Amino acid sequence: MYAMNKNADELAQTIWDYMLMNQPIEKADIIIGFGSHDKRTARWAAQLYLDGYAPSILFCGNEGHGRKLSGFDGIPEAETYKAEAIRLGVPESDIK
């Protein structure tokens, strides 16, 4: 158990370090972008696609808990991510 004097950033870093798997990125059949309030998920999925790691992307997510933070304006996360990926150069036909 951690001492109560650790700040939130230190605790978050501990969790991040634990969860980080340090696995190399490999080619796959599909890239899955799980919904959240952060468009960086869509940007990272689009970059992986553009770098040739998979022939298509599947975005998921509807109305998650972070929607008030996102500014998605009532649009499902998956649709918001799709629009972002298209804006970055991913063909619509390759987004599922």
Side-chain angles (χ1 to χ4, degrees):
M1 196 73 183
Y2 290 100
M4 295 300 289
N5 62 353
K6 284 208 173 199
N7 68 37
D9 289 341
E10 289 173 320
L11 294 173
Q13 186 65 50
T14 299
I15 294 168
W16 176 260
D17 292 343
Y18 175 78
M19 300 289 290
L20 191 62
M21 297 178 77
N22 289 318
Q23 295 178 340
I25 300 171
E26 297 180 12
K27 290 194 175 195
D29 295 327
I30 194 165
I31 297 162
I32 301 174
F34 292 100
S36 78
H37 66 276
D38 193 339
K39 285 187 184 178
R40 288 179 293 183
T41 300
R43 294 177 189 134
W44 180 242
Q47 189 61 56
L48 289 171
Y49 170 87
L50 294 169
D51 288 346
Y53 283 100
S56 59
I57 301 174
L58 171 67
F59 288 123
C60 57
N62 190 14
E63 295 187 17
H65 297 292
R67 293 191 59 75
K68 290 181 181 177
L69 302 173
S70 69
F72 289 176
D73 299 323
I75 301 169
E77 294 158 351
E79 291 298 319
T80 302
Y81 284 6
K82 178 180 178 179
E84 183 71 5
I86 291 169
R87 184 185 72 78
L88 293 170
V90 177
E92 184 173 5
S93 60
D94 289 342
I95 301 173
K96 309 302 179 203

